[in-house]
Amino acid sequence: MATQIQYDRLGDPDVLEVAAVPDPVAPEGGVVVAVRAAGVNPIDGKLRSGSRPSAPITAPRVPGSDAAGVVVAVGPGVDNWAPGDHVVVRGAHGAYTTHLIAPASHLVRKPAAVTWEQAAAIGVPVGTAHQALVSLGVAPGTTLLVHGGSGSVGRAAIQLARRMGATVVATASPANHERLRELGAIPVAYGPGLLDRLRAAAPDGYDLILDAIGSDEALEASFALVDDRSRIGTIVVGPRAEELGIRAWGGGNPVPMTADELRLRDEAYALALDLIADGAFEVDIARTFPLAEAAEAARLVESGHPGGKVILLP
């Protein structure tokens, strides 16, 4: 029997329950992956709580879109993967499980130098950051402001933008400033006087802004710093993006992704895995939890201050 975390009604983390289910069978064109690590993302909680609309629940729903593990079975028509292959699953559906069905086309080979935890941590954060940075037009010589630089997307955005040749200023609480400096950003504290501190950090101004926090303080500062709102993007306040005149990506975007945006997400997996394997990209793991403690993991992520990526270990 396989084990999965599921919920059959919307609510707080207490609606999550551990369930035993029959071992899945690999479908045509698909595989079964024994999950070694699954990432916990803010979007998981938004969908579970109902704050992000989704289809009505007609059967138990398994959360999670980031997973890494070992192929244990392949279905008819799959000839490029075999049992024993170590993989990352792109855009997984129901990653909070011991055994996951995935289309063969959604697999990326995991380099040996990348840990299971690292592999499961990159999907949503790195995919969102890469998509946003490329779409915003980050390039050598640009100055980028990241609101919420200490979150998983923020940390990924800092590193990727620095590799793209940008100067990065990132807001965060003082406790996270040293880590942001290590990643290559100029840290700035939240709170009263934010706008003045941001102007002092980049006297020549900002070219682009990525909002990963969604506070009124962050948005007001952004509008004061950049006149052209098409150069401001958010991953948090997507439902308000159109009325604000800004752009939206990731879990904050209510509009389905275009084919080009999906391509950028897919591109991010291979990029991040190669960089991690080369020691050129760092993934901060805040804490790992056994699969059965998924509710506790969700509470930590939803506290807003996990200090890095939270991972489930089936």
Side-chain angles (χ1 to χ4, degrees):
M1 297 289 284
T3 301
Q4 66 186 29
I5 302 298
Q6 62 184 39
Y7 59 96
D8 57 12
R9 64 192 187 281
L10 301 178
D12 63 22
D14 289 336
V15 303
L16 295 172
E17 60 181 12
V18 181
V21 295
D23 288 332
V25 176
E28 183 170 0
V31 305
V32 175
V33 175
V35 178
R36 295 291 183 262
V40 181
N41 293 294
I43 186 62
D44 302 343
K46 292 176 182 178
L47 290 168
R48 188 206 64 242
S49 68
S51 65
R52 171 102 184 257
S54 62
I57 299 175
T58 58
R61 184 172 293 172
V62 181
S65 55
D66 291 339
V70 181
V71 174
V72 292
V74 299
V78 176
D79 55 13
N80 53 338
W81 298 101
D85 287 343
H86 290 193
V87 299
V88 183
V89 183
R90 298 186 294 103
H93 292 285
Y96 292 18
T97 184
T98 56
H99 292 79
L100 174 68
I101 293 177
S105 60
H106 284 210
L107 303 183
V108 180
R109 199 169 300 278
K110 184 187 78 67
V114 178
T115 69
W116 294 119
E117 292 88 347
Q118 290 171 326
I122 63 173
V124 168
V126 176
T128 301
H130 181 67
Q131 177 192 353
L133 296 178
V134 173
S135 299
L136 277 173
V138 174
T142 55
T143 298
L144 170 72
L145 169 60
V146 177
H147 286 296
S150 63
S152 294
V153 174
R155 295 182 194 212
I158 289 168
Q159 296 180 80
L160 293 175
R162 291 291 293 139
R163 289 188 58 83
M164 296 164 79
T167 297
V168 182
V169 176
T171 62
S173 61
N176 292 306
H177 283 193
E178 184 55 35
R179 181 57 180 147
L180 298 194
R181 289 190 190 94
E182 293 171 354
L183 296 177
I186 301 167
V188 172
Y190 304 127
L194 173 63
L195 185 57
D196 289 339
R197 291 192 295 276
L198 289 172
R199 285 179 169 145
D204 294 330
Y206 295 90
D207 300 296
L208 305 164
I209 298 177
L210 177 59
D211 166 44
I213 192 169
S215 67
D216 290 340
E217 175 188 57
L219 292 171
E220 290 168 6
S222 298
F223 300 150
L225 292 167
V226 172
D227 293 331
D228 180 358
R229 294 195 180 185
S230 70
R231 293 190 285 125
I232 301 171
T234 183
I235 65 164
V236 186
V237 294
R240 297 175 55 199
E242 185 174 0
E243 69 174 88
L244 294 171
I246 64 177
R247 303 170 71 185
W249 301 279
N253 187 5
V255 180
M257 284 189 283
T258 65
D260 191 54
E261 289 172 333
L262 287 169
R263 177 188 60 78
L264 289 174
R265 286 298 188 96
D266 292 349
E267 182 179 283
Y269 281 85
L271 172 65
L273 288 168
D274 287 345
L275 291 174
I276 294 169
D278 291 341
F281 187 93
E282 298 182 34
V283 177
D284 292 329
I285 306 297
R287 189 172 169 187
T288 62
F289 289 84
L291 183 64
E293 296 179 15
E296 288 303 312
R299 291 187 186 92
L300 177 57
V301 170
E302 292 163 38
S303 74
H305 303 283
K309 188 72 177 183
V310 175
I311 301 292
L312 295 176
L313 302 177

